[in-house]
Amino acid sequence: MDLTVPEYAYMFGFLQADGHPSQQSRQRGRLTVELSACDVDLLRKFQKLTPYNSSITERTRSTNFSETHTAAIWSLYSLEARTRINELGLPYGRKSKTIAPPDAEFSRRDYLRGLIDADGSVGFTSKGFPFVSLTTASSAIASCLRDYARDITGAERILKRNTRDDIYNILYLMEVAQRLAADLYYPGCLSLDRKHTAADSLSAWSRPAGMRAAHTRRR
């Protein structure tokens, strides 16, 4: 898993946000990723990128949102693979506040796209404005996105946890969101198909006539 390779950087970002590593006695354990069955193609791509035996299974169960939700689950058992991913920065146990960008060199935009595909959103607000957002409990992850977006778009953000959930909700809107989405979701990149489609759709938006263009600092 060379994180200077875009596909591996994306995959690692996604795993940090949506992967669930577990370990048991005698070095047993597994890494699992569970997605809606409609996103199973991404798990197949992860499986192809990983030179170890792994499996993809499906299960149907009731949830708070649907009586018959079908999920696809990728399971990786290899100790060598799990050790490598752990060394790069995917810890066992509770990880939401402790995950951080890798210490080694890595492709930042691909890594961040993986995080956004797993724990963020891309699309239009209820008022029809383009947006890109990321929800995270990690200060290091929040700072990584803030700094990268500032380099790409010039937009500044002041990071502050919300009082209800103690997490960061980082939001970019309108032209800033368009520029950021176009950079992160470039042609041919590894991503969730539905989010790539949403990111591409942002480019068609234009500011309505008469709407004041104002760049304001957003908390």
Side-chain angles (χ1 to χ4, degrees):
M1 182 172 270
D2 179 357
L3 300 187
T4 62
V5 177
E7 290 79 8
Y8 283 123
Y10 169 88
M11 179 178 171
F12 183 69
F14 198 101
L15 292 179
Q16 272 194 318
D18 238 10
H20 301 282
S22 61
Q23 58 182 345
Q24 302 170 6
S25 61
R26 294 181 294 180
Q27 298 184 323
R28 293 175 300 174
R30 65 175 178 169
L31 169 67
T32 59
V33 181
E34 180 174 337
L35 300 177
S36 173
C38 65
D39 295 323
V40 69
D41 283 348
L42 183 66
L43 297 182
R44 293 191 181 112
K45 291 172 183 176
F46 287 172
Q47 189 176 41
K48 189 175 181 180
L49 282 168
T50 307
Y52 301 92
N53 290 330
S54 62
S55 63
I56 296 175
T57 56
E58 290 191 358
R59 70 174 178 181
T60 301
R61 58 190 175 92
S62 61
T63 67
N64 293 334
F65 307 101
S66 173
E67 291 186 0
T68 55
H69 172 73
T70 301
I73 305 164
W74 178 51
S75 300
L76 175 66
Y77 294 91
S78 164
L79 174 61
E80 185 176 356
R82 289 186 289 112
T83 299
R84 172 61 175 158
I85 293 171
N86 177 254
E87 290 171 347
L88 287 170
L90 179 57
Y92 291 98
R94 296 182 64 87
K95 61 184 174 64
S96 59
K97 287 189 176 182
T98 59
I99 56 172
D103 290 332
E105 185 179 354
F106 67 102
S107 175
R108 279 204 300 167
R109 70 171 174 174
D110 297 289
Y111 170 75
L112 287 169
R113 187 177 64 257
L115 291 168
I116 290 171
D117 270 4
D119 274 350
S121 297
V122 180
F124 291 89
T125 68
S126 60
K127 294 183 178 180
F129 300 145
F131 79 94
V132 176
S133 69
L134 176 66
T135 300
T136 180
S138 165
S139 297
I141 296 295
S143 297
C144 182
L145 176 59
R146 176 200 60 192
D147 295 346
Y148 184 80
R150 181 186 59 215
D151 293 344
I152 296 300
T153 69
E156 293 282 357
R157 290 293 181 270
I158 296 175
L159 299 177
K160 186 177 181 180
R161 296 182 186 272
N162 66 36
T163 54
R164 186 186 67 180
D165 302 316
D166 196 33
I167 60 176
Y168 299 99
N169 293 303
I170 310 166
L171 176 66
Y172 297 92
L173 290 166
M174 302 187 188
E175 289 89 354
V176 173
Q178 286 179 308
R179 291 195 294 272
L180 184 59
D183 178 80
L184 293 174
Y185 291 86
Y186 57 89
C189 69
L190 179 61
S191 62
L192 281 172
D193 289 340
R194 57 186 172 84
K195 287 198 176 179
H196 201 150
T197 299
D200 288 344
S201 71
L202 300 190
S203 63
W205 181 84
S206 58
R207 182 177 289 271
M211 176 180 282
R212 183 172 66 94
H215 179 75
T216 57
R217 178 172 293 182
R218 185 181 187 87
R219 289 188 179 274

